[in-house]
C-alpha cells in the first residue's frame, strides 16, 4: 500500500485499525480521512465503518456530510438495517437540497434500495409499468445500458396490455394512454442501445 493510501483500507482488523488511528492522530484533516476510510469499509466491514462515521459526525464537520450519510447508509444496508439505511439516504438528500453544489449518488442509491427491497410483485399492469420504467431510468442514469434497455422494453410491453388479468375487472390498472412523456423516454432507451 502506498504511503498515501493509509486511509483506503478495504480490510479491517486490530493491526490495520491501530496503524490507521496512528496516522489519523498526526493528520490535519482528520474528518476527511475518517469519512473516506469509512466509505472503503462500509460494504465489507460495516460496523467498523459506522464507528468511524460516529467519530466523523462527532467532529462537527459538514463539508462532506452528504457523502458521509451515503456511506452510513451503505453500512446499514450491509448489516441488513434497511430502515436505518433509508433514513441515512434521506439525510443525504436533504443535505444536497440545502447545498446543491455538493452532489452524491444518494438519489440513485435510494431508488435502487427501494427497487431491490420491494418484496411484493406489482399486481396491476400500471404498477408493473412503473416498476420497470423506474428501473430502466435508474440503470440508464448509472450507465448500465443493457439493463436499462431490457427494463425499458419490459415497461413498454406491459404498457400495451389491454386486459388486467382480472376476470371481473378487465380494465382495472391498465396503463392506457397515460405517461406519454415517460413512454417517449423509454422508447429512446429501448432503441438507443441497439
Amino acid at each position: 500500500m502506498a504511503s498515501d493510501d493509509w486511509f483506503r483500507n478495504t480490510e479491517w482488523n486490530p493491526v490495520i485499525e491501530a496503524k490507521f488511528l496512528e496516522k489519523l492522530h498526526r493528520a490535519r484533516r482528520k474528518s476527511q480521512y475518517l469519512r473516506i476510510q469509512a466509505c472503503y469499509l462500509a460494504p465489507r466491514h460495516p460496523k467498523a465503518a459506522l464507528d468511524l462515521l460516529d467519530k466523523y459526525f462527532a467532529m462537527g464537520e459538514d463539508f462532506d456530510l452528504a457523502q458521509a450519510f451515503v456511506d452510513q447508509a451503505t453500512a446499514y444496508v450491509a448489516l441488513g438495517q434497511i430502515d436505518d439505511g433509508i433514513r441515512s439516504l434521506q439525510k443525504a438528500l436533504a443535505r444536497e437540497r440545502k447545498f446543491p453544489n455538493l452532489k452524491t449518488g444518494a438519489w440513485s442509491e435510494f431508488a435502487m434500495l427501494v427497487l431491490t427491497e420491494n418484496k411484493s410483485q406489482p399486481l396491476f399492469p400500471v404498477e408493473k409499468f412503473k416498476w420497470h420504467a423506474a428501473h430502466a431510468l435508474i440503470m440508464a442514469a448509472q450507465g448500465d445500458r443493457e439493463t436499462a434497455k431490457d427494463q425499458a422494453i419490459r415497461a413498454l410491453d406491459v404498457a400495451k396490455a389491454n386486459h388486467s388479468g382480472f376476470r371481473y375487472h378487465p380494465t382495472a390498472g391498465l396503463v392506457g394512454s397515460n405517461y406519454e412523456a415517460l413512454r417517449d423516454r423509454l422508447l429512446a432507451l429501448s432503441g438507443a442501445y441497439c
Side-chain angles (χ1 to χ4, degrees):
M1 178 184 313
S3 63
D4 62 344
D5 285 345
W6 62 270
F7 54 93
R8 289 186 172 98
N9 298 291
T10 57
E11 294 300 324
W12 201 250
N13 59 45
V15 173
I16 295 171
E17 180 180 13
K19 287 180 181 177
F20 171 78
L21 292 175
E22 179 185 331
K23 293 250 189 184
L24 182 68
H25 179 70
R26 294 188 304 236
R28 283 190 285 181
R29 296 182 311 232
K30 290 175 178 49
S31 60
Q32 180 182 10
Y33 297 124
L34 282 166
R35 209 275 314 145
I36 292 170
Q37 181 59 74
C39 177
Y40 277 84
L41 294 176
R44 295 185 59 200
H45 300 280
K47 288 182 181 178
L50 290 172
D51 289 343
L52 294 176
L53 287 168
D54 284 344
K55 291 175 185 175
Y56 170 88
F57 293 129
M59 295 179 94
E61 175 62 44
D62 64 357
F63 174 75
D64 219 9
L65 195 55
Q67 186 59 50
F69 286 131
V70 172
D71 299 336
Q72 185 181 52
T74 301
Y76 280 136
V77 170
L79 290 170
Q81 296 174 242
I82 305 304
D83 290 341
D84 290 329
I86 289 172
R87 277 190 286 280
S88 293
L89 289 170
Q90 289 171 327
K91 289 177 185 178
L93 292 168
R95 181 71 180 177
E96 287 184 13
R97 281 191 296 278
K98 190 172 180 181
F99 297 93
N101 292 333
L102 299 173
K103 295 293 186 187
T104 69
W107 71 270
S108 61
E109 293 296 326
F110 185 86
M112 285 304 297
L113 182 57
V114 170
L115 280 174
T116 57
E117 288 301 312
N118 182 6
K119 303 286 188 227
S120 64
Q121 289 294 326
L123 185 62
F124 292 104
V126 70
E127 293 171 337
K128 292 176 185 178
F129 170 77
K130 288 177 183 178
W131 193 92
H132 289 296
H135 202 169
L137 295 174
I138 292 165
M139 292 294 95
Q142 291 187 335
D144 185 344
R145 294 177 176 187
E146 286 303 313
T147 304
K149 177 181 177 178
D150 177 62
Q151 292 297 319
I153 291 169
R154 289 177 186 220
L156 292 168
D157 284 346
V158 171
K160 295 176 188 173
N162 58 12
H163 195 285
S164 67
F166 294 98
R167 181 177 172 191
Y168 295 111
H169 305 285
T171 60
L174 296 178
V175 177
S177 61
N178 299 315
Y179 307 102
E180 186 175 334
L182 179 55
R183 284 184 205 225
D184 290 343
R185 289 181 72 186
L186 294 170
L187 279 170
L189 287 174
S190 68
Y193 306 118
C194 293

